[in-house]
Amino acid sequence: MTVYEALLDILGDYGVKHIFGIPGDAINELIEAVRKQNRIKFIHVMHEESGAFAASAQAKLTGELAVCAGTLGPGAIHLLNGLYDAKLDHAPVLALSGQVGTSLMGIDYHQVVDLHTLFQDVCVYNQTITDATQMPEVAILACQTALSKCGVAHLNIPSNIAVQNVKGYREKKQMVKNSARVVPCKDDLRLAADLINRSQKPCILAGIGAREARAELVQFAERINAPIIKALRGKDILPDSHPLSLGGTGLLGTGPSSKAIQECDLFIAIGTDFPYHEYYPENNTPSIQIDKEPDHIGRRHKVSNPLIGDAKLTLNELLLLLTPQKSSAFLEECQARMKQWSEEQQEIETSADVPIHPQTLARKVSELANDDAIICCDTGAVTVWGARNFKIKGSQRFTLSGGLASMAFGLPAAIGAQLRYPQQQVIAFCGDGGFAMLMCDFATAVKYKLPIKIFVFNNAKLGLIQLEEEVGSGNPESETDLQNPDYAQFATICGGEGFSVHEAAELDLTIQRAFKSDLPCIINVFVNPEELIWPPEVKAGQAFNYVKAKVKEYFMHAN
């Protein structure tokens, strides 16, 4: 077995199905090794960044190892943005990079970049293989570390090492998979339970770390009469129609969730590393945080009772120590606010106005999507509409670039998701700005016959940047406009199917036609470019800055 043949054998045992990348001279032996086996398929993308995003999305959706690859120099460099997405969203991804032969390293040879140093910050494991005898131990350790630490591992393989045979491979190969889960100590659990039992207005913020504890989370919330607020990456923990759900929090959240956090007498964070300090309760509000990572405890908000452990096991232990909550008044008040908020949102979501409200598009897609659809949301104004106005139902999944919040995630994430879940409907919500960055990889979806559905929220501008310019600083909108091509025609040119929608009345039939198509589709929807993106609670300074910006814009245009 060569180094790459041994590596593929190990990756297959870890459940890897795809390697995303672009062939190149320094990874030609990888391509040859893939060709000679049938467990793992190489997915040839148009841009390595797309490959890394696709791998990151697979890892987020499955919790399993995903892999991307780039040749030496620029090919490997292009992986970095997608790998940082995986790092900041705690997704297990292995990156493979090629390199010149070891005799050419260190002499400023053509295309040589110090990839080991370049990848050091993004990785939890980073190694250059300099001898075939390092296999299989190095490969197994890279996979184990990426999985156990939920991060990025990197193997840099020089071309002369790649062709070497691994001696004694079968004898040395020892696969170990860590399935251990941590439970807090009994004293910490008792202290937390006492705090919960004394509270009258508890409130829960749940994130992606609570996803495997959905049943326990609901049982826990029902026992203590607490509303559940979902961090953005935890949007698919509960259906949005669930009676305990108050939707999301932060800039993209709901008014009722902000109100609940401000008024609660106990704040319980479960499996979330939500970063925005201003959306947490005041520091004098008692709080409990459940997280399996000790370094996540208390780094966003002061914590009264830390519980280091797996969310599912920890909630099960807490349930044994709880007394039933006597009053449901706080929960009922939160539910009444949520009902009113939903009714107010529904007015615009069902509007027939022209131009189309982006909220209308998001709501219509959510009504027509399959109950087990996978939604990949891009970054920008589209994230607001996906977070607020796409209503999760059934067993739907929702993923995005959370910690890094990188534009261009939506399309490649949909490619990765569709390959991993070929029988499920995969939908991408993309702003026109984000989609344009990596739109070339729509051709990749066509090549591999992936029936993904791309909804482009076409407002011909960077809408979230406009908000930051106007509301954040009071400056007039500047350099946010986009010169967009005809995305529907682009879909057709690539071999897919394209649709353009200008009026809300066209949405229902067009979306149904796209969903019935076996081809990759782009649904290019012209949405209102003047749609305001307001936080759930508008502060006086934000309103003042917006007015100031509009006055400046008026005089700029008048002149």
Side-chain angles (χ1 to χ4, degrees):
M1 266 189 184
T2 66
V3 166
Y4 272 126
E5 288 170 347
L7 176 59
L8 290 178
D9 181 61
I10 291 164
L11 294 181
D13 287 349
Y14 274 102
V16 173
K17 307 295 184 186
H18 309 101
I19 298 175
F20 298 92
I22 298 179
D25 50 358
I27 60 168
N28 282 343
E29 293 304 318
L30 168 63
I31 305 303
E32 174 63 9
V34 171
R35 186 187 67 81
K36 290 162 62 176
Q37 52 82 63
N38 56 15
R39 296 172 76 187
I40 298 173
K41 186 172 183 178
F42 190 88
I43 304 299
H44 180 181
V45 293
M46 304 288 277
H47 195 297
E48 287 94 349
E49 183 178 356
S50 293
F53 274 139
S56 180
Q58 283 194 345
K60 292 179 197 181
L61 289 166
T62 64
E64 299 173 4
L65 186 69
V67 182
C68 58
T71 189
L72 79 168
I77 293 169
H78 282 164
L79 296 172
L80 282 174
N81 199 47
L83 295 179
Y84 271 101
D85 175 71
K87 172 185 177 176
L88 295 183
D89 281 352
H90 315 294
V93 172
L94 173 66
L96 305 175
S97 65
Q99 186 56 280
V100 295
T102 51
S103 65
L104 298 174
M105 295 170 64
I107 61 171
D108 199 22
Y109 195 73
H110 179 63
Q111 287 193 312
V112 169
V113 173
D114 184 353
L115 296 179
H116 184 87
T117 301
L118 185 71
F119 279 74
Q120 188 62 38
D121 179 64
V122 78
C123 289
V124 293
Y125 183 88
N126 183 24
Q127 187 63 49
T128 296
I129 295 180
T130 57
D131 194 301
T133 58
Q134 291 174 265
M135 296 288 286
E137 292 91 342
V138 165
I140 293 171
L141 186 55
C143 296
Q144 288 177 351
T145 306
L147 286 164
S148 63
K149 294 188 177 182
C150 298
V152 175
H154 170 232
L155 292 177
N156 184 37
I157 306 178
S159 57
N160 63 315
I161 303 299
V163 298
Q164 293 180 5
N165 288 319
V166 180
K167 297 178 181 178
Y169 170 74
R170 295 295 178 189
E171 293 75 16
K172 292 194 296 179
K173 179 183 174 185
Q174 181 182 7
M175 304 294 294
V176 178
K177 296 184 180 180
N178 179 21
S179 58
R181 294 188 291 173
V182 177
V183 181
C185 68
K186 291 183 178 179
D187 287 343
D188 287 347
L189 288 165
R190 278 194 291 267
L191 287 171
D194 289 343
L195 193 57
I196 295 168
N197 289 333
R198 293 196 304 268
S199 70
Q200 295 299 310
K201 297 189 293 182
C203 174
I204 297 169
L205 174 64
I208 190 70
R211 195 174 192 284
E212 300 306 315
R214 284 174 292 178
E216 292 78 10
L217 174 64
V218 170
Q219 187 180 357
F220 175 72
E222 289 175 340
R223 179 79 65 85
I224 66 175
N225 283 327
I228 298 173
I229 298 164
K230 301 182 291 183
L232 183 55
R233 290 192 62 229
K235 179 176 171 64
D236 58 9
I237 291 176
L238 288 178
D240 283 307
S241 61
H242 195 284
L244 293 174
S245 175
L246 297 186
T249 187
L251 174 66
L252 283 58
T254 68
S257 71
S258 296
K259 202 77 171 175
I261 289 174
Q262 292 167 10
E263 295 181 354
C264 70
D265 68 357
L266 176 63
F267 180 73
I268 307 169
I270 305 174
T272 179
D273 194 33
F274 183 74
Y276 299 106
H277 305 276
E278 62 269 29
Y279 291 101
Y280 282 89
E282 298 294 332
N283 279 334
N284 58 358
T285 302
S287 64
I288 296 168
Q289 184 176 358
I290 301 172
D291 203 294
K292 67 178 182 179
E293 300 294 340
D295 60 328
H296 289 184
I297 299 288
R299 71 175 180 177
R300 309 301 187 189
H301 178 258
K302 184 178 179 182
V303 175
S304 310
N305 290 82
L307 294 175
I308 299 170
D310 173 80
K312 185 182 183 76
L313 298 180
T314 302
L315 289 174
N316 273 327
E317 292 295 323
L318 280 176
L319 282 165
L320 300 174
L321 302 172
L322 298 180
T323 57
Q325 190 77 10
K326 294 180 180 179
S327 173
S328 60
F330 179 64
L331 174 60
E332 291 170 1
E333 185 178 352
C334 292
Q335 289 171 326
R337 289 174 183 157
M338 191 62 194
K339 181 181 179 182
Q340 181 180 351
W341 168 273
S342 297
E343 290 172 352
E344 291 170 355
Q345 290 292 305
Q346 190 168 348
E347 288 185 24
I348 196 167
E349 288 171 349
T350 57
S351 168
D353 291 349
V354 177
I356 299 168
H357 294 290
Q359 299 94 321
T360 304
L361 172 57
R363 176 62 179 269
K364 181 56 68 174
V365 176
S366 71
E367 289 175 357
L368 298 174
N370 293 345
D371 283 359
D372 64 348
I374 299 169
I375 296 87
C376 303
C377 191
D378 216 319
T379 298
V382 69
T383 318
V384 180
W385 319 129
R388 286 185 184 165
N389 305 108
F390 186 95
K391 311 298 182 183
I392 288 289
K393 61 186 178 184
S395 58
Q396 288 176 340
R397 299 296 309 274
F398 184 94
T399 191
L400 75 167
S401 178
L404 187 63
S406 175
M407 294 172 68
F409 176 82
L411 169 61
I415 290 171
Q418 191 73 84
L419 284 163
R420 198 64 174 81
Y421 298 98
Q423 303 306 316
Q424 290 177 233
Q425 182 184 64
V426 176
I427 296 166
F429 275 13
C430 299
D432 44 1
F435 179 72
M437 287 183 172
L438 291 172
M439 60 189 281
C440 57
D441 268 296
F442 185 77
T444 302
V446 173
K447 175 181 178 179
Y448 291 102
K449 297 180 172 60
L450 305 176
I452 59 176
K453 312 305 175 191
I454 309 296
F455 288 88
V456 177
F457 288 64
N458 191 334
N459 61 1
K461 66 168 60 178
L462 301 176
L464 197 59
I465 306 304
Q466 177 187 351
L467 172 74
E468 293 169 352
E469 289 179 351
E470 295 178 338
V471 176
S473 58
N475 293 329
E477 176 187 3
S478 179
E479 298 298 339
T480 62
D481 58 306
L482 298 170
Q483 183 65 42
N484 289 325
D486 185 332
Y487 290 122
Q489 186 176 0
F490 170 75
T492 303
I493 292 169
C494 289
E497 195 165 358
F499 305 85
S500 287
V501 181
H502 294 269
E503 297 186 9
E506 303 169 355
L507 283 174
D508 199 294
L509 181 59
T510 304
I511 293 171
Q512 290 187 59
R513 285 179 59 198
F515 282 169
K516 289 177 182 177
S517 175
D518 293 330
L519 295 174
C521 295
I522 296 175
I523 305 91
N524 183 31
V525 183
F526 293 85
V527 298
N528 186 359
E530 300 305 321
E531 195 72 43
L532 297 179
I533 307 169
W534 290 110
E537 292 188 350
V538 181
K539 297 178 181 179
Q542 293 171 322
F544 175 76
N545 282 343
Y546 178 73
V547 172
K548 184 169 71 171
K550 288 302 178 185
V551 170
K552 291 179 180 178
E553 289 170 14
Y554 172 80
F555 284 108
M556 285 172 58
H557 296 147
N559 293 331

